[in-house]
Amino acid sequence: MGFLSFNEKYYAAKLDEFEGHDLTDGQIYEAKQLFKVLCDLADEGYSALGDDLESKFHGVKRLKEVIKRGGAQPFPISPRAIQHEYGAGERDLRGFLDELTSVPPSDDIQTESAVLIEDIAKYCEWLDGNGGGAYIFLLRDCLLPYAYFAAKGREGLYAYPIGRAFLRDLSGVGDFDDIIRLPIYCAAEEGITDFTEFGQYFKCAIAKTLRTYPHVKDELARLLDAIPYEKITVVESGYCGTMPMLLSAIDDRVDFGMYTTAPFFFELYKDKTFCRRYEQLRLFETLYSQDALFEYSSFKEGKFFVKISADDGILRKAKEEIASIKSYAQTAKAEV
């Protein structure tokens, strides 16, 4: 069981549902989202799923035909992510974030992402209304939500680049994120859609993994133990919920909220997601401030260090995005 086997079964079942029948608008939309999942994975360099579906039952070609038969076009494909250049020196993340959040708010942003940033502001208000306590913003993808909450003067804000590179450092395993993601797909393949049941399944499965990699658990637990709040909400862009689930398995105080998730996780994460617009996710994650501005470099003595983009154009555009999200935060603050 796992990523490929779950998706093989899911896509095959959906194609059987779509083919040979008159399609509703909802089914056409779902087909487009499922195709977008494959496109987004390929954009990030993971073509294995699309290749597997095509070789096993011409899944990609058939899904395209379903969308075409419905009189629709696939969602636009984002340009392939480019290799960004970063400076050689490290910066303490905490100090860099203080510098970024000092950017004055502005509603005069000149970017095609203005509508998306407004939606991210609404996502932040949803989080603010459903959370309380402390917040952990998973970077890089959730820098704008962090800037939003900071602009509203919220306390208990923690911005941590807990992702693939950080976990590789802790575990010494290049694909450690795949290891901790496996229980999610195994649970899905077993048909678990109740979140409470899923949480127990994941916690039991991941406990075995963490016994093999105790340093990972120890360091994550140390970060969580340093947060003096009774409730911690992890803020994530979305998809599988891997990192929030990992943190919640280590500390019972942890809950989480995601912008969106993949169509096959809509039911599982229905109370944890702001919207079901999966097609927005790649755009969310590839804003300049949340993709190209900096990258994780190291973790030393409990502190995160990053490398900053060497491209002045990226720095300028990232600060424009931050200024824009702060203008929404200031408006929301004034209305309280």
Side-chain angles (χ1 to χ4, degrees):
M1 293 197 300
F3 172 75
L4 287 178
S5 59
F6 164 75
N7 278 286
E8 283 176 15
K9 294 173 184 175
Y10 191 89
Y11 274 81
K14 281 297 175 181
L15 285 168
D16 287 343
E17 175 188 326
F18 296 150
E19 292 175 334
H21 305 280
D22 291 334
L23 296 170
T24 66
D25 290 344
Q27 287 174 317
I28 296 169
Y29 181 49
E30 184 179 9
K32 290 174 62 176
Q33 286 187 320
L34 289 173
F35 187 73
K36 188 69 164 61
V37 170
L38 303 179
C39 294
D40 288 348
L41 287 171
D43 184 52
E44 294 188 76
Y46 302 111
S47 60
L49 177 57
D51 294 343
D52 181 70
L53 298 181
E54 188 62 23
S55 65
K56 294 288 179 63
F57 48 84
H58 302 294
V60 178
K61 180 180 179 181
R62 290 167 62 193
L63 192 54
K64 286 181 181 178
E65 287 299 318
V66 166
I67 295 169
K68 182 179 179 181
R69 183 167 61 86
Q73 294 291 328
F75 288 115
I77 300 173
S78 303
R80 176 170 289 279
I82 62 173
Q83 292 293 322
H84 302 296
E85 295 293 329
Y86 297 95
E90 290 186 329
R91 287 282 307 273
D92 172 65
L93 176 61
R94 178 68 260 176
F96 183 55
L97 292 177
D98 288 345
E99 177 185 310
L100 289 176
T101 53
S102 68
V103 172
S106 172
D107 57 6
D108 188 32
I109 186 170
Q110 302 297 316
T111 173
E112 66 278 7
S113 302
V115 174
L116 176 59
I117 291 174
E118 181 179 7
D119 203 42
I120 294 174
K122 294 176 182 176
Y123 165 52
C124 292
E125 282 303 299
W126 175 79
L127 287 166
D128 202 12
N130 290 279
Y135 291 84
I136 295 176
F137 300 84
L138 296 183
L139 304 183
R140 296 174 295 183
D141 296 349
C142 285
L143 177 63
L144 291 183
Y146 172 79
Y148 184 95
F149 274 73
K152 288 191 73 173
R154 292 288 187 266
E155 297 182 351
L157 308 183
Y158 301 82
Y160 294 155
I162 299 175
R164 187 179 301 118
F166 174 61
L167 291 177
R168 180 177 63 239
D169 269 5
L170 291 187
S171 67
V173 178
D175 60 350
F176 190 74
D177 59 312
D178 289 335
I179 294 173
I180 59 175
R181 190 176 298 111
L182 180 61
I184 296 176
Y185 283 102
C186 290
E189 195 165 354
E190 290 190 17
I192 298 174
T193 58
D194 176 77
F195 185 78
T196 300
E197 182 183 357
F198 165 71
Q200 289 300 316
Y201 181 103
F202 181 89
K203 190 171 185 177
C204 290
I206 211 66
K208 298 176 183 178
T209 300
L210 293 176
R211 282 197 291 270
T212 305
Y213 300 94
H215 184 58
V216 174
K217 181 179 181 180
D218 291 345
E219 290 297 336
L220 291 176
R222 191 172 290 114
L223 285 171
L224 292 167
D225 287 345
I227 300 176
Y229 288 80
E230 293 182 2
K231 181 179 180 180
I232 302 171
T233 300
V234 177
V235 181
E236 162 75 293
S237 56
Y239 195 72
C240 289
T242 309
M243 301 308 165
M245 287 302 302
L246 174 62
L247 296 176
S248 68
I250 293 172
D251 192 319
D252 290 336
R253 295 176 298 160
V254 172
D255 196 0
F256 63 94
M258 302 190 290
Y259 175 72
T260 191
T261 187
F264 33 81
F265 292 135
F266 281 161
E267 183 62 24
L268 175 64
Y269 289 135
K270 61 185 177 183
D271 296 326
K272 307 296 181 183
T273 50
F274 168 67
C275 70
R276 294 193 172 196
R277 295 186 292 277
Y278 168 80
E279 64 277 9
Q280 295 275 79
L281 180 59
R282 190 75 180 128
L283 296 173
F284 184 113
E285 294 177 342
T286 55
L287 290 165
Y288 289 100
S289 56
Q290 302 191 149
D291 179 46
L293 178 58
F294 64 91
E295 68 174 2
Y296 167 84
S297 179
S298 63
F299 180 68
K300 294 175 288 191
E301 298 180 353
K303 294 182 179 180
F304 290 99
F305 294 85
V306 296
K307 292 184 177 180
I308 313 304
S309 173
D311 187 323
D312 288 340
I314 287 176
L315 290 170
R316 175 178 55 80
K317 291 174 181 177
K319 288 180 179 180
E320 284 181 358
E321 292 169 357
I322 293 167
S324 178
I325 199 77
K326 288 184 69 174
S327 72
Y328 287 107
Q330 292 294 325
T331 300
K333 185 177 180 181
E335 291 174 350
V336 174

